[in-house]
Amino acid sequence: MVDVTKADYSIDASRVYATGHSNGSAMTWRLAQDAPEYFTAVAPIGFNWGSYPGYTTSGGTVDVQTMNICFLFGA
């Protein structure tokens, strides 16, 4: 989707962000893990790690040294 958007529109590729709430938050973490070269920052909101068995053992990690992350979680 990012590649198509870059090809079809004049966007600043250094300012592409991902965010999502609940299941969208899980997808945000997954994007940070699997496709960090596309995103400048991610902002997952309200993700419950315990709701997704095996998610943390998918083999990937998010490089917090190079990825800007704003993780919002609250009750």
Side-chain angles (χ1 to χ4, degrees), residues 6-19:
K6 283 182 186 179
D8 292 348
Y9 300 95
S10 177
I11 67 167
D12 182 349
S14 69
R15 299 176 89 182
V16 177
Y17 311 102
T19 189

Side-chain angles (χ1 to χ4, degrees), residues 1-55:
M1 182 184 299
V2 175
D3 286 334
V4 171
T5 303
K6 283 182 186 179
D8 292 348
Y9 300 95
S10 177
I11 67 167
D12 182 349
S14 69
R15 299 176 89 182
V16 177
Y17 311 102
T19 189
H21 178 260
S22 194
N23 281 339
S25 180
M27 185 64 184
T28 301
W29 280 116
R30 192 63 187 247
L31 290 169
Q33 173 181 305
D34 293 346
E37 67 277 9
Y38 288 103
F39 302 97
T40 301
V42 295
I45 304 167
F47 175 55
N48 183 356
W49 286 104
S51 299
Y52 298 86
Y55 184 79

